[in-house]
Amino acid sequence: MSEKEEGVFRSAEMSLVQLYVPTEISREVLYDIGKLNLIQFRDLNSKISEFQRSFVNELRKLDNVERQYIFFKNELDKKSVELKKYPYEQEFNKICAQSDIDELTENGQLLEDRVGQLIESLYNLYEKEKSLKQFKYSVQSVDNFFKLNASNLPSSHDNEHDHLLNNLESGTQYTSEMNTSSFISGVISRDKVQVLQQILWRVLRGNLFYYTEELPELIYDAKSETKVAKNTFIIFSHGQLIHQRIKKICESLDCDLYNVDSTEDLRSQQLEEINGNLSELDIVLDQTDVALNSELIAISKDLSKWWEIVAREKAVYKIMNRCDYDGSRKTLVAEGWIPKDEIDTLNSTVKQTSNTLPIIVNILETTRTPPTFHRTNKFTAAFQAICDAYGVATYREVNPGLPTVITFPFMFAIMFGDLGHGIILSLAALALVLNEKKIGAMKRDEIFDMAYSGRYILLLMGLFSIYTGFLYNDVFSKSMSFFNSGWKWPEEFEIGDNISAEQIGVYPIGLDPAWHGTENNLLFTNSYKMKLSILMGYLHMSYSYVFSLVNYIHFKSMIDILGNFVPGLLFMQGIFGYLSLCIVYKWSIDWYAIGKQPPGLLNMLISMFLSPGTVEEPLYSGQASIQVILLIVALICVPWLLLLKPLYFKRKFDQEAKYKQLNDDSNDESLVESHEGDDDEEHEEHTFGDIMIHQVIHTIEFCLNCVSHTASYLRLWALSLAHAQLSTVLWTMTIGNAFGATGIAGVLMTVLLFGMWFILTVVILVVMEGTSAMLHSLRLHWVESMSKFFEGEGHPYEPFGFEGLLDEYI
Amino acid sequence: MSGYTVLIVFVLVAVLCGVTWVAAPKENRTVWRSSVILGISMCFLMWAITYLSQLHPLQAPRRADLRPEM
């Protein structure tokens, strides 16, 4: 087997292959190909709607099975039964026989019927239990009511209502008038008690007696699957008509009404009967529940296995629906993209599957654009994802994901430079990296999953932050003295004198600690960090810009090199390259030694444009003429960039048109035919107008972007200054206060303020500031760097495989 | 100490990059080469810029809160 292409600097080379598979073994072959996870199948039936394809019936059947499985899963979730997970490798090595699938289908139907039945009967039983319980409580509360009022009777006055009560209790006089009972009793949910009372009061104009009592337990409602607090109520009033109205009102408020007998003996009989029924019901209910539970537990053991089989089967049929048939429907014709160096793997796999029947693998020549496939590993995957989130690279163009591996964390670190914060970040990332297997198997929520998948990014960000923090000489806003300082303070002075240090050398690595805490510290770090960010930005952009040259060379586009790259390079280097060079040159001159005034570089750059030819504070001799030359070059580059490419294409089109005219008569027919061909992507024709407009936009954008993007890198300066200042402020406001105090107060203050300082450091400085620096770094890559070379017009490579089919369900 | 330090370190870093290019492991070669060399270069640049900015400073540190015995 040939050595595999790495496929990370550019996307891997792809080939379009065509497979002729005999129909009898097409399922097996596609299953084996799916296990390889290599081919992205093209849809050969894109003009046919989903419902008219060959395997709609099979898919529908499998969909039904999957629906049943979702139903089981929901029921399992309700009972909080865990699914048993299967180690996939051995179980799914071979495709399931068709008979097994049929068995699964039947089994699914059987189980669904059984589970459905159980659930339904359980529902009915719960309903019955509910009504029995409510009946019981109604009877009890009627009982209670009469007992309560009977004891009150002797002392109460002879009003009509007591009279009525008496008669009722004895059950003699009014029975002929009221055929069932003269009161209405029932159960209502507790939050509607008030409403019922008010409505009744208004409708009957107060002409009633209303009694309510809370139920001692919550009643389970099977419909809403919740337990509801309820009340019993008893309503007394006169007349048949009014009773009808009350009943209607009660029904509209979802009350359950029960006929409770009016005499005590009958009521106790009723109660006995109810209790008997209830205890019987409880037994049946328990049994049914146990039956359902054991059924579900049995299902939970195998469900994930069945589901995986069915999902894979479905995936295979979906692919088969994308394939074509030859005329006699005996062979399946599939087309798909595969990395060129994997064709051998495909061939050997296919051969293994079919011992006797021949399978033909053809490699097709095509003008279609292949999908973009970058081979990544666990280290590069997250960086690639960052770039792919912006746009998928055009096929075979330079992959921005590769330099991003270093530049992204480094740009972050320039803004996040603090040794201490870097260590915290690295340790957190290291914990994720070292435990990646364990954490990888866990269920992760969204935020944690982001940190987990970006763990290598975080690790590099932390490590580079340690380095930049070391260079900035910042550890939790304090400085460190590893080497001898390059500055010497004077020996003799009075307290309170404003003294300046004297230079005796250069601090070898990083910022001199002598600057820490000085009055003009900010003045110096400002100038240093600003120049640092301009130089870094300029280098980052130039580096990215060279990739566009690499692209042009790879795609053999000479006109793009001459018409785009060269003028752009001259323009950018002539202005910002020159500025960067001046910054470094100015640093390398000892201005005090030669006794000259050091020029301000910003003014120099401005006057280079506004008053060319005059230099007020010279940086070097001959500066005026060099600046004029650079300016002229930059000015020439603009029309060069604007016109060369469109004019070249105009000439080419004119020539082609001439050529076409000559051949028009003879070639008419073949042209029509070639246009008819197919299909999903047409290679659009560019006219001169299109190219001109495109180039005008490109020119304006490029020239303006040179300025604005350089300015944009100043965010490196701003954020790193802000970060350093914020950590200084945090130190002085929290733990810095603790160091003066002594005794117990000192101990307490130190401990408490340290805790506060540490928590705030992690939450604000590491997490919040880190997130913001990361977003800024992301922007610098997406906008400032990638705009220099990245086209991003590819489509991603999505091979057919079985990984993660059930992720959304299980 | 002078500006030549930067040039000397540059030569060293360049040699180191060359060694990395040759010695990169076979597997994931491109990633190794690109990442290590780019990382070394950026670290060098950062150091060089910091060093150069302090080579001939136009400012001297100035403070009023020092005590003679320190």
Side-chain angles (χ1 to χ4, degrees), chain A residues 733-753:
Chain A
M733 287 184 72
T734 56
I735 198 169
N737 288 327
F739 294 141
T742 53
I744 291 184
V747 172
L748 277 179
M749 265 175 89
T750 314
V751 171
L752 287 179
L753 288 174

Side-chain angles (χ1 to χ4, degrees), chain A residues 743-768:
Chain A
I744 291 184
V747 172
L748 277 179
M749 265 175 89
T750 314
V751 171
L752 287 179
L753 288 174
F754 170 79
M756 193 173 156
W757 168 79
F758 188 74
I759 288 168
L760 288 178
T761 295
V762 171
V763 172
I764 295 181
L765 291 179
V766 177
V767 176
M768 261 173 63

